[in-house]
């Protein structure tokens, strides 16, 4: 639909074939409209959602008001063999003491000899027993093709696979194995900006863990895609309940009830996420109009050590049960809030024609040297067969084929000839305002956090002129947001950050505060990187991986020493230490006194 003359039009989403139905549902609830391939112009969508990867041209042709749900070139962590290779490289550079969160892995057939050596070494050491191994096809998901073995004679494969040390002592709840699905949004790779969602999923196996039946997938694999077909899926399983999922809130309650320092565990997972993303961050081209939602699968062993199993590209957004609704709807809404649409985005090119640009949308390796950005060719070249392109083309002159950098006066004057702005603000496109719908939404955010978030300008964007001012933003806040409950609400848990905080000071030195500081929280997404001033600086310009890793290392050491004090006392000390040091890690760690399990409604 073309932008209305009198005010902002609805934002428009475009779903590629196979995109999750939940995305459609959530966006429609927010008042968005679905893109109509036939009736609308190519530039007339705001969000393009694909489950598979975009083409390079999609990134090159992106327009200021548009967002994509993937960054380019993240396969380095989302394919099992690439992840193994990259983690190995990081271990080589930074030591296996730090990068010790992934089970020993071999990529077969290439690493067969090395695997054989390791296997034999274990057998000799352990009186003929090699321990347990798991074999996984490198490019399959949902548990397909996976098997566990002890004897190398059972290792049979006909495609590229990884063979990984099987974590045979997982933490169990009433005898059931589980893993955690952690949702992570990389808002930007340049600068690296990572958010972790406070909610998430705990995915249970549906038969009790038993090492004497390695081929029982319902006992050893925790994929929902497998366990929903288990004969025990609907059975009310001791403590676990029916189905095979919990919310993360419920899990945290459970840990708390067991006297476990769940926030310490959470922080360790947080470090795993950061260290993993640092392996690819320098090689991902800048694409400020993209966000990416990753699903990190974490297994916790009986000693409470979290292990990274894999990183999922396009984590499942299907709805199998009420827990999915609780977690994934909030997650998606928060993700859209992180995309930070501005009122001007809803009027698309009409709004942007009134603006001047000072940075490009996409900085692929080539355009890194170039100060300009390609507009879609379709918007600039005459395609007689393509009337849609032509109509947009007639709006932008040929001289606007590139978005200008600030200094490109030539193009600026071309723009002035077709736009009718007050000529006031340079208003680039991409890195959005802090006035996200999340901030304006009616969520139970800790007041201090929301003040902080509002105080932070996360953008190079200057205010835009009155026609598209933020008063119009209210039209972008959906009824859903107005009525939404905190993520924990559905299982009657408080949001993790409510209550108990004394008013902290702003964690940055105000003098050094600049507009590049990302919001600490958007909905239930909590900023986890950068996490202090040093990492903030390290993330700008060219990411300084060494410094970033060093800071994570320091954090881990602090945590380790903090944790040697017993439980609560240790954590309180840690919180105080962090506050003193002006780190904002403590914001992430939640209330010091989460409710007892008996106070929670645990029904799914
Ligand atoms: P997929 O992409 O097919 O889901 P995963 O690596 O996530 O592959 O493995 C599927 C399931 O197998 C996990 O959810 C977990 O329950 C189990 N699993 C995978 N790797 C290991 C491991 N190294 N140790 C123990 N369990 C594992």
């Amino acid at each position: 639909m073309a932008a209305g003359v009198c005010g902002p039009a609805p934002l428009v989403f475009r779903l590629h074939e196979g995109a999750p139905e939940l995305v459609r549902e959530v966006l429609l609830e927010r008042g968005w409209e679905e893109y109509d391939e036939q009736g609308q112009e190519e530039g007339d969508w705001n969000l393009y959602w694909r489950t598979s990867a975009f083409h390079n041209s999609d990134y090159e042709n992106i327009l200021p008001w548009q967002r994509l749900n993937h960054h380019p070139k993240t396969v380095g962590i989302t394919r099992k063999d690439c992840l193994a290779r990259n983690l190995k490289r990081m271990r080589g550079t930074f030591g296996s003491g730090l990068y010790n969160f992934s089970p020993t892995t071999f990529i077969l057939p290439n690493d067969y000899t090395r695997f054989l050596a390791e296997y034999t070494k274990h057998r000799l050491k352990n009186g003929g027993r090699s321990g347990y191994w798991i074999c996984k096809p490198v490019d399959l998901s949902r548990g397909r093709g996976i098997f566990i073995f002890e004897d190398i004679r059972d290792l049979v494969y006909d495609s590229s696979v990884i063979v990984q040390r099987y974590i045979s002592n997982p933490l169990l709840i009433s005898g059931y194995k589980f893993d955690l699905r952690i949702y992570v949004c990389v808002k930007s790779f340049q600068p690296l900006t990572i958010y972790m969602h406070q909610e998430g999923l705990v995915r249970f196996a549906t038969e009790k863990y038993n090492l004497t039946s390695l081929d029982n997938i319902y006992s050893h694999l925790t994929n929902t895609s497998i366990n929903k077909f288990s004969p025990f899926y609907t059975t009310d399983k001791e403590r676990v309940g029916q189905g095979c999922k919990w919310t993360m809130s419920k899990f945290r309650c459970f840990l708390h009830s067991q006297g476990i320092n769940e926030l310490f565990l959470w922080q360790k997972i947080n470090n795993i996420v950061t260290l993993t993303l640092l392996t690819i961050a320098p090689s991902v081209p800048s694409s400020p109009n993209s966000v990416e939602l990753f699903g990190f699968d974490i297994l916790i062993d009986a000693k409470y050590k979290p292990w990274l199993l894999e990183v999922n590209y396009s984590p499942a957004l299907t709805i199998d049960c009420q827990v999915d609704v609780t977690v994934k709807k909030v997650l998606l809404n928060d993700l859209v809030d992180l995309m930070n649409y501005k009122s001007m985005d809803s009027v698309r090119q009409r709004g942007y024609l009134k603006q001047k640009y000072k940075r490009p949308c996409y900085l692929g390796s080539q355009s890194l040297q170039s100060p300009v950005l390609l507009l879609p060719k379709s918007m600039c070249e005459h395609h007689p067969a393509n009337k849609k392109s032509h109509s947009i083309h007639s709006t932008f002159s040929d001289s606007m084929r590139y978005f200008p950098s600030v200094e490109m006066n030539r193009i600026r004057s071309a723009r002035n000839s077709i736009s009718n702005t007050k000529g006031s603000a340079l208003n680039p496109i991409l890195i959005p305002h802090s006035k996200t719908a999340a901030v304006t939404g009616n969520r139970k955010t800790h007041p201090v956090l929301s003040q902080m978030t509002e105080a932070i300008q996360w953008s190079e964007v200057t205010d835009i002129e009155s026609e598209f001012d933020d008063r119009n933003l209210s039209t972008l806040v959906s009824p859903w947001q107005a009525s939404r409950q905190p993520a924990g609400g559905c299982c009657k848990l408080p949001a993790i950050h409510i209550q108990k905080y004394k008013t902290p000071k702003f964690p940055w030195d105000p003098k050094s505060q600049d507009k590049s500081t990302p919001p600490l929280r958007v909905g239930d997404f909590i900023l986890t990187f950068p996490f202090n001033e040093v990492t903030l600086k390290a993330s700008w310009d060219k990411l300084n991986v060494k410094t970033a890793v060093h800071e994570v290392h320091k954090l881990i050491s602090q945590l380790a020493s903090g944790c040697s004090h017993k439980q609560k006392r240790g954590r309180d000390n840690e919180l105080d230490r962090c506050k003193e040091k002006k780190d904002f890690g403590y914001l992430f760690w939640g209330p010091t006194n989460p409710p007892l399990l008996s106070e929670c409604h645990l029904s799914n």
Side-chain angles (χ1 to χ4, degrees):
M1 187 176 107
V5 176
C6 306
L11 291 159
V12 173
F13 64 92
R14 179 179 178 183
L15 298 187
H16 190 248
E17 212 183 302
E21 188 51 38
L22 188 65
V23 175
R24 176 180 284 117
E25 192 184 316
V26 163
L27 292 172
L28 289 175
E29 274 179 26
R30 292 174 71 107
W32 289 49
E33 282 184 357
E34 184 154 6
Y35 179 66
D36 170 7
E37 303 264 350
Q38 306 305 320
Q40 285 181 287
E41 313 242 341
E42 268 181 46
D44 227 351
W45 49 265
N46 296 95
L47 169 63
Y48 189 4
W49 188 287
R50 286 181 72 113
T51 302
S52 53
F54 288 101
H55 304 292
N56 280 348
S57 58
D58 292 320
Y59 294 105
E60 285 159 6
N61 293 344
I62 195 80
L63 290 162
W65 53 91
Q66 298 182 322
R67 316 276 194 273
L68 303 174
N69 72 316
H70 294 297
H71 286 281
K73 299 187 179 168
T74 55
V75 70
I77 54 170
T78 56
R79 235 180 86 126
K80 294 177 177 72
D81 52 342
C82 301
L83 176 67
R85 219 171 273 126
N86 274 318
L87 290 176
K88 186 178 172 194
R89 178 175 53 80
M90 294 299 268
R91 262 194 300 277
T93 311
F94 297 107
S96 52
L98 196 57
Y99 276 85
N100 64 352
F101 50 81
S102 160
T104 307
T105 305
F106 300 92
I107 304 166
L108 270 46
N110 284 1
D111 287 345
Y112 186 81
T113 317
R114 287 200 311 114
F115 169 61
L116 190 61
E118 180 79 4
Y119 175 89
T120 312
K121 191 175 92 187
H122 274 272
R123 278 193 69 151
L124 293 175
K125 208 164 118 192
N126 300 315
R129 302 202 64 174
S130 77
Y132 299 94
W133 299 89
I134 185 166
C135 176
K136 316 188 228 181
V138 296
D139 53 1
L140 289 185
S141 58
R142 291 179 272 141
R144 289 171 294 175
I146 295 183
F147 61 94
I148 300 152
F149 65 94
E150 224 187 332
D151 188 330
I152 201 165
R153 285 171 296 186
D154 295 330
L155 172 60
V156 181
Y157 54 94
D158 57 8
S159 63
S160 186
V161 296
I162 60 164
V163 167
Q164 190 171 68
R165 165 82 43 212
Y166 187 63
I167 308 298
S168 57
N169 62 336
L171 184 63
L172 305 175
I173 295 182
S174 296
Y176 293 93
K177 177 176 171 177
F178 63 90
D179 73 359
L180 308 180
R181 165 60 55 86
I182 309 284
Y183 294 104
V184 174
C185 174
V186 178
K187 176 70 191 71
S188 142
F189 273 96
Q190 292 180 25
L192 183 60
T193 312
I194 308 172
Y195 287 85
M196 254 167 81
H197 207 258
Q198 287 180 321
E199 260 308 342
L201 292 173
V202 183
R203 308 175 315 163
F204 286 91
T206 42
E207 290 191 32
K208 290 203 174 184
Y209 189 67
N210 185 349
L211 278 171
T212 60
S213 57
L214 293 181
D215 52 359
N216 183 353
I217 51 174
Y218 302 126
S219 160
H220 290 278
L221 305 190
T222 52
N223 305 77
T224 308
S225 49
I226 288 175
N227 284 287
K228 68 182 175 189
F229 296 111
S230 154
F232 298 97
Y233 180 67
T234 51
T235 309
D236 195 358
K237 294 171 284 301
E238 200 183 328
R239 196 149 210 178
V240 171
Q242 287 186 350
C244 63
K245 280 181 193 166
W246 278 7
T247 61
M248 195 65 73
S249 309
K250 185 168 165 175
F251 178 58
R252 286 187 55 179
C253 276
F254 169 79
L255 291 176
H256 186 68
S257 72
Q258 305 293 303
I260 306 302
N261 185 346
E262 84 284 357
L263 297 174
F264 177 56
L265 179 67
W266 199 236
Q267 186 61 42
K268 286 203 269 190
I269 295 172
N270 177 358
N271 292 334
I272 290 179
V273 168
T274 304
L275 290 171
T276 304
L277 285 164
L278 282 170
T279 63
I280 57 160
S283 59
V284 177
S286 175
S287 173
N289 282 36
S290 302
V291 298
E292 180 104 39
L293 182 70
F294 293 106
F296 278 67
D297 289 349
I298 303 281
L299 184 83
I300 299 165
D301 72 17
K303 294 177 180 161
Y304 293 95
K305 175 178 163 72
W307 294 90
L308 176 68
L309 298 185
E310 70 157 345
V311 183
N312 289 274
Y313 185 80
S314 286
L317 292 171
T318 41
I319 299 292
D320 290 315
C321 57
Q322 186 54 40
V323 175
D324 280 336
V325 180
T326 306
V327 171
K328 293 176 183 176
K329 265 195 136 176
V330 173
L331 173 76
L332 268 180
N333 272 287
D334 290 343
L335 187 70
V336 177
D337 290 340
L338 257 178
M339 293 177 191
N340 201 17
Y341 286 95
K342 301 181 295 300
S343 43
M344 190 170 68
D345 294 325
S346 68
V347 283
R348 294 173 281 277
Q349 69 266 25
R350 196 168 67 85
Y352 279 83
L353 277 170
K354 294 170 96 53
Q355 305 306 314
K356 299 173 183 177
Y357 303 107
K358 73 175 183 186
R359 60 176 289 169
C361 299
Y362 176 67
L363 295 170
S365 50
Q366 286 175 338
S367 34
L368 275 172
Q369 287 112 43
S370 157
V372 294
L373 166 75
L374 279 174
L375 266 182
K377 282 191 182 149
S378 62
M379 297 182 75
C380 311
E381 288 166 2
H382 288 278
H383 294 295
N386 187 347
K387 289 205 173 111
K388 287 189 207 168
S389 312
H390 179 70
S391 73
I392 299 177
H393 168 259
S394 58
T395 312
F396 288 81
S397 73
D398 271 349
S399 58
M400 284 198 59
R401 180 164 172 173
Y402 301 99
F403 282 125
S405 61
V406 217
E407 64 275 19
M408 293 185 74
N409 296 326
R410 180 175 60 83
I411 299 178
R412 196 182 286 163
S413 59
R415 180 194 45 245
N416 288 341
S417 69
I418 55 169
S419 69
N420 190 23
T421 63
K422 292 172 190 165
S424 53
L426 276 186
N427 204 342
I429 316 159
L430 307 175
I431 307 199
H433 253 255
S434 63
K435 288 186 179 174
T436 62
V439 174
T440 56
N442 185 21
R443 182 194 285 270
K444 269 194 192 173
T445 299
H446 186 268
V448 173
L449 285 169
S450 59
Q451 279 162 24
M452 283 176 164
T453 315
E454 279 168 5
I456 299 164
Q457 291 296 308
W458 180 27
S459 170
E460 297 176 25
V461 181
T462 51
D463 282 331
I464 58 174
E465 61 270 61
S466 57
E467 186 179 352
F468 304 111
D469 73 15
D470 283 330
R471 277 169 288 161
N472 290 330
L473 195 63
S474 57
T475 61
L476 301 179
V477 178
S478 67
W480 183 89
Q481 285 165 304
S483 64
R484 74 183 291 182
Q485 297 294 314
C490 298
C491 65
K492 305 285 189 295
L493 295 180
I496 290 171
H497 282 289
I498 63 170
Q499 305 159 0
K500 302 284 181 197
Y501 278 120
K502 294 192 193 99
T503 306
K505 290 200 179 76
F506 187 75
W508 309 105
D509 173 3
K511 284 182 202 139
S512 72
Q513 181 192 342
D514 65 21
K515 289 180 177 175
S516 60
T517 309
L520 303 185
R521 173 181 190 138
V522 175
D524 283 342
F525 273 116
I526 307 295
L527 181 74
T528 57
F529 189 92
F531 56 87
N532 60 16
E533 223 160 333
V534 178
T535 46
L536 180 72
K537 281 183 191 144
S539 67
W540 276 97
D541 299 325
K542 200 169 174 297
L543 175 69
N544 188 332
V545 178
K546 199 173 161 190
T547 303
V549 169
H550 183 66
E551 284 302 304
V552 176
H553 182 56
K554 268 171 46 186
L555 190 62
I556 291 173
S557 313
Q558 284 166 14
L559 282 169
S561 59
C563 204
S564 61
H565 301 285
K566 254 303 199 215
Q567 296 296 339
K568 188 170 176 302
R569 215 184 114 230
R571 190 176 74 197
D572 289 346
N573 290 347
E574 204 49 48
L575 297 180
D576 290 342
R577 232 191 327 271
C578 277
K579 285 177 194 170
E580 278 162 26
K581 287 169 71 85
K582 295 186 178 177
D583 280 355
F584 59 68
Y586 72 91
L587 291 175
F588 186 64
W589 293 3
T592 46
N593 295 307
L596 296 174
L597 192 64
S598 56
E599 293 164 0
C600 301
H601 293 256
L602 292 176
S603 63
N604 287 338

